Amino acid sequence: MGEMAECYTELEKAVVILVENFYKYVSKHSLVKNKISKSGFRKMLQRELNHMLTDTGNRKAADKLIQNLDANHDGRISFDEYWTMIGGITSPMANLIRQQECQQEQQGQGSS
Amino acid sequence: MGEMAECYTELEKAVVILVENFYKYVSKHSLVKNKISKSGFRKMLQRELNHMLTDTGNRKAADKLIQNLDANHDGRISFDEYWTMIGGITSPMANLIRQQECQQEQQGQGSS
C-alpha cells in the first residue's frame, strides 16, 4: 500500500483489500471489462475464502450461491455482485465470528 | 486475532475486520439487538471511512446514503444493511482505488 493508504483506518484498509481481490480475479481477456467469470469466482472462493467457509460449516451456503451464479446467464460478476455475494456468505456467520472474538478476549483476560 | 484467524487469507482477515467494526458500533442498550443506530452509523462513517470519503470526493454519495437512512423509519442498521452501504460507498470508487494501486506499482518498478 502506498503513501495515501498509510493514513487509512483498519476498516479502509480492509475495504481496499476487498477491492484489490476483486481486480485480481477480473478476467483480462474478457469482452466485458471489470467483471469476474463464474469459473474465476469459484476459484476465488476456494483460494481466498476457504478457511472461513470450512471453519463455519458455511460451505453449503457458498455452494448454493455458486449454483445461483450458474443460473445467471449473464455469467459475469460485477463488483456490486461480488460485494453482495461475500456479504451473503459473511452475514450468517457474522455473529459466530464475533463470538469467537469474545471467547478469545475472555481467555486472554483469564478469570478476572 | 486468535489462533484460528492466523491461518486466514488476507481477504478473510479483511472480512473479519468489517464484521468486528460492525459490532464495535452496535448499540449496547438498544431494544433491537445486533443493529447500529443511525447516529452510530454516522459516527462510524466519520471515524472509520473518513479518508476514503475525503480522498475520492465521494462524500456526496455518503451524505446521500445518510439521508436515505433518515428516510428509513426503522432507524436501525442491520449487518446486511451495513455491508450493502459500505459496498455502495466503495463501488463507485473501486476503479479509482485500483488505478491508484497501479500507479504506485509502476512508480515502484521505475521505468522498466
Side-chain angles (χ1 to χ4, degrees):
Chain A
M1 308 239 269
E3 232 177 277
M4 191 191 70
E6 275 168 31
C7 68
Y8 270 20
T9 65
E10 282 297 298
L11 187 71
E12 288 168 332
K13 284 177 190 168
V15 169
V16 169
I17 287 169
L18 272 140
V19 170
E20 285 173 352
N21 185 71
F22 175 76
Y23 284 105
K24 195 168 140 187
Y25 286 91
V26 159
S27 57
K28 267 123 196 162
H29 307 290
S30 171
L31 291 172
V32 189
K33 280 196 174 184
N34 294 337
K35 297 206 170 187
I36 304 181
S37 68
K38 281 188 292 189
S39 62
F41 191 78
R42 253 189 231 101
K43 208 184 286 176
M44 189 280 288
L45 283 182
Q46 283 161 2
R47 283 191 197 159
E48 313 290 351
L49 285 177
N50 194 40
H51 306 111
M52 193 164 267
L53 293 172
T54 310
D55 286 349
T56 60
N58 202 20
R59 191 168 290 278
K60 261 189 194 167
D63 286 345
K64 208 173 171 184
L65 280 172
I66 293 174
Q67 274 175 10
N68 289 345
L69 284 182
D70 281 335
N72 174 2
H73 296 296
D74 169 46
R76 306 267 169 202
I77 292 118
S78 67
F79 181 80
D80 289 344
E81 289 169 317
Y82 159 86
W83 187 274
T84 301
M85 262 183 284
I86 295 181
I89 293 167
T90 306
S91 179
M93 58 189 278
N95 212 20
L96 187 71
I97 290 174
R98 182 226 187 174
Q99 282 163 3
Q100 285 170 343
E101 288 298 319
C102 290
Q103 282 170 5
Q104 281 159 12
E105 276 173 35
Q106 282 168 358
Q107 283 168 5
Q109 285 166 0
S111 56
S112 59
Chain B
M1 307 241 267
E3 230 176 278
M4 191 191 72
E6 275 169 30
C7 67
Y8 271 20
T9 65
E10 281 297 298
L11 187 71
E12 288 168 330
K13 285 177 190 169
V15 169
V16 168
I17 287 169
L18 274 141
V19 170
E20 285 173 353
N21 185 71
F22 175 77
Y23 285 104
K24 196 168 140 189
Y25 285 91
V26 159
S27 58
K28 267 124 196 161
H29 307 290
S30 172
L31 291 171
V32 189
K33 281 195 172 182
N34 294 335
K35 294 203 173 189
I36 304 181
S37 69
K38 280 188 294 191
S39 62
F41 191 77
R42 254 188 229 98
K43 207 184 286 175
M44 189 282 287
L45 283 182
Q46 281 160 5
R47 284 192 197 158
E48 314 289 352
L49 285 177
N50 194 40
H51 307 110
M52 193 164 266
L53 293 171
T54 310
D55 285 352
T56 60
N58 203 22
R59 193 167 289 278
K60 262 189 196 168
D63 286 344
K64 208 173 171 185
L65 280 173
I66 292 175
Q67 274 176 10
N68 289 345
L69 284 183
D70 281 334
N72 173 3
H73 296 296
D74 169 46
R76 307 266 168 203
I77 292 117
S78 67
F79 181 81
D80 288 343
E81 288 169 319
Y82 159 86
W83 186 274
T84 301
M85 263 182 285
I86 295 181
I89 292 167
T90 307
S91 178
M93 57 190 279
N95 212 20
L96 186 70
I97 290 174
R98 184 228 187 170
Q99 282 163 4
Q100 286 170 342
E101 289 298 319
C102 290
Q103 282 169 5
Q104 283 159 10
E105 276 175 32
Q106 282 167 359
Q107 283 167 5
Q109 287 167 359
S111 57
S112 60

